[in-house]
Amino acid sequence: MIKKLVSLVFVAIVAACAGFYSWSMQPISESTIEFTIKPGSSVRSSAQQIANAGVPINPVMLELLARLHGQANKFKAGPYEAEAGITPVGLISKIVRGEFSQFSFALIEGWTFKQMRQALLQNPYVKHDAAKLSDQEILAKLTTDFTQPEGLFFPDTYLFPKGVSDMDVYKRAFDQLQQHLLTAWQQRDAGASPIKTPYEALILASIVEKETGRASDREMIAGVFVNRLRLGMLLQTDPTVIYGMGDQYQGKIRKRDLQQDTPYNTYTRAGLPPTPIALVGMDALKAALNPAHTDALYFVARGDGSSQFSSNLDDHNRAVNHFIR
């Protein structure tokens, strides 16, 4: 009788273990469910938080599984996603590795800092700690080397955990720009450009970024502006005028706008504007520091994204008459 009872208990234990193992390897849900584990949570509390978030899993069994795997003290707090088809074992592994749920945030070449701020404010996955800060207050939290934030963030697609502070986004994009700017400066053609500092290079690159309709023209456009700077000519570039107009710009530049003096009006003021006018990609930065060796002083849009370059005003006027007037 005792042997029979022991056998039954053994069979029951084996069956329970087999069932538990089978459960641990079965998909939890057919849809993706988000959940968050709070800082300082025990494995028991974490399992309950996961269940409370709507993940269809028994928290007691999840806790037991974590303990059996020796991972009960390795859970990392943060935002997660239980993807469709994930198993209890896979879920625990994700939490132990800290594979937080992420979102992508794209910064676009040519954006202004105002556009970058607006995109962050509209992003539902970001904690808006900087929402009430001024541009200068945001910059002050990142650096003391600059007084204006324009152009100081690198355009790229970044991955962040959901719930990240917008200040973390600013810092990462700022740090990336500093690294890329230093690299480009170290690889510059020092004899090809009158640019004296990395910040001046960033300013020129922002103009090249806004003036370029076709990527293959970047070095030539940079070459034109470098030639003008070297000769003391006015840059006379519309994107700087538009930037200086701010909200007054409504899609069209008039003659009086070109005559209205602002710090960014390169038709009325010589040299570079005081700051960049947009976010700068690596290609524009390289072009500004390694411009084409050319005698061109003028260019005009052909209408297909490319530009016609001229070395004298007569040829330029003829190009303008052909492609514009």
Side-chain angles (χ1 to χ4, degrees), residues 10-30:
F10 178 76
V11 171
I13 291 174
V14 171
C17 290
F20 186 74
Y21 175 79
S22 177
W23 167 82
S24 72
M25 302 302 292
Q26 293 297 314
I28 295 171
S29 173
E30 295 181 355

Side-chain angles (χ1 to χ4, degrees), residues 103 120 125-131 133 141 160-172:
F103 72 96
L120 275 172
Y125 302 118
V126 174
K127 185 167 61 173
H128 301 111
D129 294 327
L133 300 180
K141 289 180 176 293
F160 294 96
K162 293 180 179 178
V164 69
S165 169
D166 50 8
M167 284 306 305
D168 290 333
V169 180
Y170 285 123
K171 184 178 188 325
R172 186 168 166 191

Side-chain angles (χ1 to χ4, degrees), residues 219-229 235 291-292 294 296-299 309-310:
E219 287 78 10
M220 279 293 294
I221 289 174
V224 168
F225 289 131
V226 162
N227 288 343
R228 285 180 164 239
L229 288 171
L235 293 184
T294 176
L297 291 171
Y298 307 90
F299 64 92
F309 297 90
S310 305

Side-chain angles (χ1 to χ4, degrees), residues 105 107-108 110-122 134-135 138 148-153 170 242-243 245-250 276-279:
F105 180 72
L107 290 180
I108 310 301
W111 270 8
T112 62
F113 183 67
K114 181 179 180 180
Q115 289 173 304
M116 177 182 177
R117 287 203 68 170
Q118 189 62 32
L120 275 172
L121 283 171
Q122 293 175 347
S134 68
D135 290 356
I138 292 174
Q148 297 294 330
E150 195 66 75
L152 295 181
F153 304 88
Y170 285 123
I242 292 171
Y243 184 85
M245 291 173 65
D247 293 337
Q248 294 180 358
Y249 178 67
Q250 299 297 320
I277 60 172
L279 299 184

